[in-house]
Amino acid sequence: MGCLRCYNKVEKITGRLFGLYGTFVANNPWSMIIIAIVANVFMGIGMSRMEIEKDIEVLYTPKNNKAMKDRTKIDTIFGDKSATNFFPHSQTGSGNYADIIFEAHGNIKTENCLLEIRRVRDQIVSFTIPDTSNDVPLKYSDICAKRNSQCVITGNDVLGSNFKKHIHFGNISYPYLENNFIGDVFGNVEVANGVLKYASIIKLRFYLNKASSNNEKVTKWMEAFLKQNKAISTNITKTLFAHSDSLNNEISSNLDDDIVLFILTFSFIILYASLATANWKCVSDKQNLAKSGVLVTIMSIVGSIGLVSSFHIKVVDMVGVMPFLILGIGIDDMFVLLSGLAGTYDDNPEMKPEERIKQVMKRSGVGITITTLTDLIAFFVGASSSFLSVKNFCIYTGTSILLCYLNYLTFIMGCMTLHEQRIAENKHCCTYKKVNNGRYNKSTIKTCMCYGSKPKKREDIEGPMEKYPHKLISKFVTIKPLKVVIIIFFIAFVSISTWGSVQFDQGLDLKLLVPKKSYLYKFTELDKTNFSYNIPISFVIETKANYSQVATWELFKKLQKDAEMDTAIDSTKSLNWLLDLRMSPFYDNTSEVNFTASLRTKFLPRMPHFQNDIIFDKVSGLIKSSRFFVFTWQTKDSNEYHEVMSRMRDIVQNKFYIQLLLILHHSFSLNNMKLFYQKH
């Protein structure tokens, strides 16, 4: 009882305050309307400073998370070797690339299919685009990632003469062929005893230079790559294509589709609001109020985007959902206010407009304030998210909800005052001229259009869609058979919802970020279904160590062994320069200087795939930092990648390895985006 008395007291006080505000608005309706319009236009100017964040990694990974910090640190330590000595496993990010998938109706390992794939490959590497920096046309070899002065193309080996021999003798081992992983080259495969018998899909990946100086050229080439592939015709195979920026570009293009959907939704809401509030009486009809409610929602959306953008908070793809949410929230507030207005006619049909607006604010002002506060709290708490996409979406949406609320208290209440003043003077809702009371006997249409009177009770102001639905529903739900049906449906709903929450799968399905009509949706679906990947995991020793000592070698060996004991790790494919050096004739541990000299002059020139894994101090010439790699077994299940990374971190955090000051990292790409998303 004490809580109820407290609640009633608070409601009485707030109701009185809203009543005073309602009186103020009723006495200054035009001032409130003009202030609202000017304020929203002024805030909307901020849209000129609007910036759009398109980077999928920035949007869907936590800000300042450990993996991102580690990757930045590793980039700083090892640098970018994509222009001179590129190896895919050495990448710390997705890098720049262009993919094309060839799909045949039957076995793609035929000479005709491979001949067609070679033709398309040659067209891709040979087409040129204008280079704005000079007059020489730009082609793939000018911006490709290189090794031994040759462009690196994954899948290029299966188009060579050596692969023909394997086809002829039927000895194509899978997933490794001559120590090269081909699980990401062939798709929809049939394998028997480790030998590839059938494949209907081949994927080629054209790696591009990652140097920042080439960013503009790479972007232009990737755009031309898409146009080139759309123009290419094939007879035997079907092609699908994408590049490393495809997802970012497609998300941006979705904004245009969102604008069309918003216009359609806006039109539908106007139609619905007009029909829902129409009572087809020329004096008491509320359609204009309903339309102004939709209009003020649009004002709030524009004002909020401009206001937030002026603070350099970037628009993210999820903000495209915000207008639809605000339309729903705004229209809901409008119906609450209109219901409060209709209720005043039951209290006193002769009430003056000023008093009526006061009563509306006392009754409905508290209601829309509470709903606005609950929404604001939810979204502004969401603004604390470490994911930029969620954070910025919540900031934009929360600001829009707040502006929508303020616009309803100013613009809509001003419009409602004018509406009530018109009714009090018995003026027409469209022409704003006085109409005759009563009914024109000869024509129902003319009576509806030209005759009318002030409403005397709630039913006179409500339309058919306001009167009858709640009456019918209240009668139906009291019928016993329907009560049983409702209970059954509710139990079924709760049961299905509970089951669905248990089956909830965390992660990020990239193809759902783009429309089904997009070329990227089809590409991603085929790629995810038919290709598997073995992700390289690097163990980085950040600080200097005495590599010539046996104790250091034993520590490396144990660390690699512990990692390879995991069931998800392929123990036969690890790349550890120190262990390979130990087994080579160039191992010299007589001193750290001799060890380093033999490593640099004898071992590394013969092992180029290790050159990116060792950094030498510029002053002393000794090893400053190094790394080695283990590889996961091929799999399409990102949950397994998530779990193995957690187990690898547990190994690194073992006190036994603390002296190495290790950094654990895996090569990030859009193919394992779900892994990166889950891990944080």
Side-chain angles (χ1 to χ4, degrees), residues 502-654:
V502 173
Q503 301 299 316
F504 184 77
D505 182 23
Q506 63 175 332
L508 180 65
D509 192 347
L510 294 177
K511 73 174 185 292
L512 299 180
L513 298 177
V514 296
K516 289 186 177 181
K517 64 181 180 180
S518 168
Y519 72 90
L520 184 60
Y521 183 93
K522 299 171 185 175
F523 176 91
T524 305
E525 191 171 37
L526 191 66
D527 184 58
K528 181 180 178 181
T529 305
N530 293 283
F531 292 97
S532 55
Y533 300 89
N534 56 348
I535 296 179
I537 301 173
S538 63
F539 292 79
V540 180
I541 293 81
E542 184 183 2
T543 57
K544 292 181 180 179
N546 295 320
Y547 290 92
S548 60
Q549 293 183 1
V550 176
T552 303
W553 177 80
E554 292 288 350
L555 203 58
F556 264 66
K557 184 178 179 181
K558 177 173 173 50
L559 178 58
Q560 179 179 326
K561 190 71 175 177
D562 287 348
E564 290 174 347
M565 288 178 66
D566 192 287
T567 55
I569 300 298
D570 183 356
S571 60
T572 65
K573 302 304 175 185
S574 300
L575 291 175
N576 190 326
W577 65 271
L578 184 56
L579 269 62
D580 279 25
L581 174 62
R582 173 83 178 188
M583 294 183 289
S584 75
F586 309 113
Y587 180 69
D588 184 352
N589 67 338
T590 54
S591 70
E592 195 71 18
V593 173
N594 292 340
F595 175 89
T596 305
S598 180
L599 172 67
R600 298 185 73 167
T601 60
K602 299 176 182 178
F603 181 75
L604 289 181
R606 293 171 172 81
M607 298 289 184
H609 56 286
F610 287 136
Q611 291 175 7
N612 299 344
D613 301 337
I614 306 169
I615 301 298
F616 297 95
D617 189 278
K618 293 181 179 179
V619 178
S620 65
L622 301 178
I623 298 174
K624 184 179 179 181
S625 302
S626 70
R627 63 184 172 185
F628 70 88
F629 294 87
V630 296
F631 293 82
T632 63
W633 288 102
Q634 58 171 340
T635 180
K636 300 171 185 176
D637 185 3
S638 62
N639 289 320
E640 292 184 24
Y641 290 139
H642 166 62
E643 292 168 3
V644 71
M645 283 302 297
S646 297
R647 295 195 294 271
M648 293 299 107
R649 287 199 178 277
D650 291 339
I651 293 173
V652 169
Q653 291 168 3
N654 191 320

Side-chain angles (χ1 to χ4, degrees), residues 58 72 145 157 206 290 301 306 466 494 521 557 596 658:
V58 173
T72 302
D157 291 341
F206 300 82
I301 293 167
E466 293 173 293
V494 172
Y521 183 93
K557 184 178 179 181
T596 305
I658 198 70

Side-chain angles (χ1 to χ4, degrees), residues 397-431:
T397 306
T399 305
S400 188
I401 289 171
L402 179 59
L403 281 183
C404 187
Y405 170 72
L406 295 175
N407 284 330
Y408 266 88
L409 292 184
T410 52
F411 186 90
I412 290 299
M413 294 312 298
C415 290
M416 190 176 288
T417 301
L418 299 178
H419 171 80
E420 287 306 306
Q421 289 175 352
R422 177 186 59 77
I423 291 178
E425 296 172 9
N426 211 55
K427 290 182 178 180
H428 199 284
C429 62
C430 295
T431 63

